[in-house]
Amino acid sequence: MPVSKVIAASDAAAVVHSGDVIASSGYGGHGIPEQLLVALEDRYLSEGAPSGLTLVHAAGQGDGGTERGLNRLASAGMLRRVVGGYYGLAPRLAQLAVDGEIEAYNFPEGVILHLYRQVAAGSPGLLSTIGLGTFVDPRVEGGKLNAATTEDLVQLVEFGGEDWLFYRAFPIDIALVRGTTADPFGNVTMEHEALALETLLLAIAARTSGGYVICQVERIAEPGSLDSRDVRLPGILVDAVVVAEPEHHMQTYGTRYNAALSGELRVPVRSLGRIDLNQRSVIARRAALEMKADEVVNLGLGLPELVGRVAAEENIEDLITLTVDPGVIGGVPLGGLDFGAAVNPDALIDHASAFDFIDGGGLDRVFLGIAQCSGTGDVNVSRFGDRLAGCGGFINLTQRTPHIVFMTTFTSGGLVTRVEDGALHILNEGKVRKFVDQVEQITFSAARAVEIGQQVIYVTERCVFSLGPDGLLLTEVAPGIDVESQILALLPFTPSIDGPTLMELALFDEGLVGMRERMLDIGVRKRLSYDEKANTVYMDFAGMHIRTRDDVEAVVAAVDALLGPLGRKVNSVVNYDRFVLDDEATSAWADAVQYVADTYYLKVSRHTTSGFLRLKLGKELRERRLEPSLYDSAEEAHRQLDS
């Protein structure tokens, strides 16, 4: 029988040597091996060792205070270098970087996670477009945070005629991770954790590097008693197991344990309560109006957290999929010290896989906060003055997502407003201007967003901007706000102006905005157009979701209204890309297609890239003795119609 791997925390800390590269798992207050960090801190304070460590961490690990999380490694001399994704939750660590007492790098959260994968696979590094045009780009700052940081860890390379960034891999000597239950042989489950995080990946990376893996747990099980299907970290990857004291093994820094966060039970989302009507809720409600049914949406830290609450109170959480970047899919994301988790999630994937999805363009829309925004539309959330936050997943989230919604109060530092009588009243203006002539650090490059065609808006309590080719465009103003004195006079630049129109009055009322009804409105009349010269009707059903017979009847009514008065039959091109047809409405939809074809069509050509829809709809139409005429591209559909 193998020797038990369960050891004391102090013995685990003794394994770490001066100069080692250590990597810690965690996200905010989730999954942080706090007991191991305590043991390392205690050893250093008593022995002065280990010293000169290199610390690597993907996400922020702390509660924003000065004691917990990675703050425990911030004693002078303990660290030599830090490669971090987010510093804002560990201010003592951030201060070391600001003061130049350590070499410090800030790379995107997803980049660091994917570097772990490259280390695990024995690869020399990561080739990625993430970071181009931002402060991470070596043509800008190369992710270096101070003058003491001189080594280039990222370089610009050309591959396939395009610019890429190459991030160098590094060995990991010590991996500090966390689980729930371990057996004496090091097999670990994670049933009480709210997030899967990078636990497995980090352990493999350390093993590939010839390093040491230490896992903190809350309890030990009998040998052979763990269900192999529940083991998330196999014992062959674990060198030591430490049982934590309860105060150093909370589920999050805000919650000792909540079964809803770990998926043990589901809770009524209405129990989350209503949001008070104020400047923050106005911003969240206006931002939430941008969401469309069936979108996959990611919520960032701070103001964006409220979008999930808005979705819950507007009863639309079933019409969209809300996600948070550590791997939560679906449900209602939580805020505060529980941020990163959700109640009633549909699935939980690991941290690195979540960023595979994000970097691959899997999101439809992302909601993020702002620290500074320039007239060109550039955004800074990573560093301002002597305050270092870091980019976290912000760069990953904004570089491949087609729709970006930034959220911020217009000013901060003393801003006082009142929402009353359907209007916004500014009682005291904030001292800090969020909109500046030039951002101190480029975390989001507006020029790159314009180049690749992203749609970007900036939502505040008093107005809304969109990103145009020449920078910010003022499009909406809140009721009760004077454009000249309360917007333009406070800007160090002159934005372009479109209108502006009035922000929706419902945003400034205690009642619901009616988002569910809006999302379920398929907007079919805007999807139909008739070309008289070509005698062709174009039906753009791309992205439409037909759920019920009522939806089908609405489409038929719109077609009748457009084509009935013509008194002649027409040609038709129908776009079914990303079209979703629920089973309950399939038969009714096929009957409607037959009716429209018999009543109005000379010829029809349909197209969709979905092989499944071609199969599903084609079967229904053939049963009605109709030729499906379903092609896999618009070009082929038009060719067939013209032939």
Side-chain angles (χ1 to χ4, degrees):
M1 294 289 288
V3 176
S4 173
K5 296 180 179 180
V6 182
I7 64 175
S10 58
D11 292 336
V15 171
V16 183
H17 295 91
S18 294
D20 275 351
V21 177
I22 65 173
S24 173
S25 68
Y27 185 95
H30 294 272
I32 297 176
E34 189 79 16
Q35 188 75 66
L36 302 180
L37 299 178
V38 168
L40 278 172
E41 180 183 37
D42 289 346
R43 181 186 167 203
Y44 182 77
L45 293 178
S46 63
E47 301 177 16
S51 62
L53 299 172
T54 292
L55 169 66
V56 186
H57 62 100
Q61 296 177 26
D63 59 2
T66 59
E67 300 300 323
R68 297 194 284 193
L70 296 181
N71 287 305
R72 298 188 183 278
L73 305 184
S75 295
M78 190 173 185
L79 298 174
R80 179 183 69 87
R81 170 183 288 184
V82 175
V83 180
Y86 191 73
Y87 289 78
L89 295 177
R92 287 180 58 202
L93 187 68
Q95 197 61 48
L96 290 178
V98 170
D99 293 342
E101 295 185 24
I102 56 173
E103 299 175 24
Y105 298 84
N106 183 203
F107 291 159
E109 181 179 332
V111 164
I112 295 177
L113 291 165
H114 292 152
L115 271 174
Y116 291 157
R117 178 180 292 151
Q118 301 309 311
V119 175
S123 168
L126 173 69
L127 193 64
S128 176
T129 60
I130 301 301
L132 285 171
T134 73
F135 73 93
V136 179
D137 192 317
R139 292 168 293 187
V140 186
E141 299 174 42
K144 301 170 185 174
L145 297 179
N146 57 38
T149 308
T150 58
E151 187 178 358
D152 295 324
L153 297 187
V154 56
Q155 64 185 93
L156 182 71
V157 298
E158 184 179 312
F159 184 77
E162 298 182 0
D163 287 342
W164 293 74
L165 297 181
F166 180 73
Y167 297 87
R168 286 168 41 196
F170 42 79
I172 295 173
D173 299 309
I174 304 290
L176 306 177
V177 297
R178 193 176 101 162
T180 300
T181 308
D183 66 17
F185 310 137
N187 296 299
V188 179
T189 63
M190 299 180 68
E191 62 269 24
H192 287 174
E193 299 293 325
L195 301 174
L197 294 176
E198 58 272 24
T199 306
L200 176 61
L201 187 57
L202 199 49
I204 299 174
R207 176 51 59 93
T208 300
S209 303
Y212 201 80
V213 179
I214 309 171
C215 185
Q216 170 182 318
V217 297
E218 63 180 73
R219 57 194 181 185
I220 301 297
E222 284 289 324
S225 64
L226 298 180
D227 189 325
S228 61
R229 293 168 296 183
D230 295 331
V231 172
R232 304 296 292 271
L233 187 60
I236 59 170
L237 298 176
V238 178
D239 295 291
V241 173
V242 171
V243 179
E245 299 169 2
E247 62 267 31
H248 296 316
H249 200 98
M250 294 174 63
Q251 192 176 35
T252 77
Y253 284 138
T255 301
R256 183 164 294 281
Y257 179 68
N258 181 344
L261 271 61
S262 58
E264 185 178 344
L265 56 83
R266 298 178 70 85
V267 298
V269 294
R270 303 300 167 268
S271 66
L272 298 177
R274 291 290 304 276
I275 307 173
D276 293 335
L277 183 61
N278 53 38
Q279 62 194 29
R280 291 171 58 83
S281 60
V282 165
I283 295 170
R285 295 167 100 187
R286 172 59 188 87
L289 282 178
E290 293 296 307
M291 291 189 291
K292 305 294 187 293
D294 302 310
E295 284 189 337
V296 180
V297 172
N298 188 276
L299 304 183
L301 184 66
L303 263 175
E305 299 170 14
L306 292 179
V307 173
R309 294 284 302 279
V310 170
E313 70 178 34
E314 292 280 345
N315 192 26
I316 59 172
E317 72 276 4
D318 62 320
L319 302 180
I320 53 177
T321 301
L322 297 173
T323 70
V324 192
D325 56 30
V328 172
I329 310 295
V332 179
L334 300 179
L337 293 176
D338 290 335
F339 180 74
V343 295
N344 307 342
D346 298 323
L348 185 64
I349 63 176
D350 69 89
H351 205 171
S353 294
F355 276 93
D356 287 330
F357 179 73
I358 291 166
D359 291 351
L363 295 172
D364 295 302
R365 194 177 305 273
V366 62
F367 295 85
L368 294 165
I370 289 177
Q372 292 177 331
C373 179
S374 69
T376 62
D378 290 338
V379 171
N380 171 27
V381 299
S382 46
R383 186 167 187 171
F384 16 96
D386 289 335
R387 184 182 173 193
L388 171 64
C391 58
F394 189 98
I395 294 177
N396 301 87
L397 290 164
T398 56
Q399 292 213 311
R400 292 296 301 278
T401 305
H403 302 278
I404 301 171
V405 182
F406 290 120
M407 303 166 61
T408 182
T409 54
F410 196 82
T411 62
S412 64
L415 175 65
V416 180
T417 67
R418 183 176 68 244
V419 181
E420 189 174 70
D421 300 327
L424 178 72
H425 305 276
I426 309 296
L427 305 182
N428 189 72
E429 195 61 75
K431 298 176 183 178
V432 178
R433 304 290 174 89
K434 292 293 194 79
F435 293 89
V436 297
D437 185 52
Q438 185 176 353
V439 297
E440 296 177 59
Q441 194 169 61
I442 299 175
T443 329
F444 166 77
S445 170
R448 189 174 187 277
V450 170
E451 180 184 348
I452 64 178
Q454 291 173 301
Q455 296 183 17
V456 185
I457 70 166
Y458 308 74
V459 179
T460 79
E461 79 286 350
R462 70 187 71 179
C463 64
V464 178
F465 298 98
S466 64
L467 179 62
D470 300 318
L472 294 189
L473 176 68
L474 178 63
T475 58
E476 298 177 30
V477 173
I481 293 299
D482 179 72
V483 174
E484 288 295 331
S485 64
Q486 294 177 312
I487 298 177
L488 299 182
L490 302 179
L491 297 175
F493 53 82
T494 302
S496 301
I497 297 178
D498 182 11
T501 60
L502 201 64
M503 292 173 70
E504 293 205 26
L505 297 179
L507 301 173
F508 303 87
D509 187 88
E510 290 282 359
L512 297 179
V513 180
M515 293 183 190
R516 188 172 185 85
E517 292 74 16
R518 296 173 191 233
M519 281 193 175
L520 290 175
D521 181 1
I522 57 179
V524 65
R525 292 184 182 276
K526 298 178 181 178
R527 296 173 175 269
L528 306 178
S529 61
Y530 174 65
D531 184 335
E532 185 175 5
K533 184 177 180 180
N535 191 34
T536 300
V537 63
Y538 298 95
M539 301 186 178
D540 182 13
F541 295 155
M544 180 184 282
H545 189 162
I546 298 297
R547 294 176 170 83
T548 65
R549 285 183 174 271
D550 289 343
D551 290 343
V552 177
E553 291 171 4
V555 173
V556 172
V559 172
D560 283 340
L562 177 65
L563 301 182
L566 297 179
R568 62 179 178 274
K569 291 196 172 186
V570 301
N571 299 312
S572 179
V573 178
V574 187
N575 180 2
Y576 277 114
D577 274 345
R578 296 177 290 104
F579 178 83
V580 180
L581 179 61
D582 285 1
D583 290 344
E584 293 79 359
T586 298
S587 179
W589 181 261
D591 289 342
V593 171
Q594 181 177 33
Y595 160 74
V596 171
D598 292 344
T599 307
Y600 297 115
Y601 288 168
L602 292 170
K603 293 175 67 177
V604 60
S605 190
R606 308 174 179 94
H607 65 91
T608 178
T609 55
S610 169
F612 174 75
L613 183 63
R614 289 198 298 272
L615 181 66
K616 179 179 181 178
L617 189 55
K619 174 178 177 294
E620 292 289 336
L621 296 183
R622 288 190 184 93
E623 288 179 355
R624 290 161 176 78
R625 298 183 179 180
L626 286 177
E627 171 56 44
S629 302
L630 272 164
Y631 304 100
D632 59 8
S633 70
E635 292 78 9
E636 187 176 0
H638 282 277
R639 271 199 311 272
Q640 294 297 328
L641 190 70
D642 295 338
S643 62

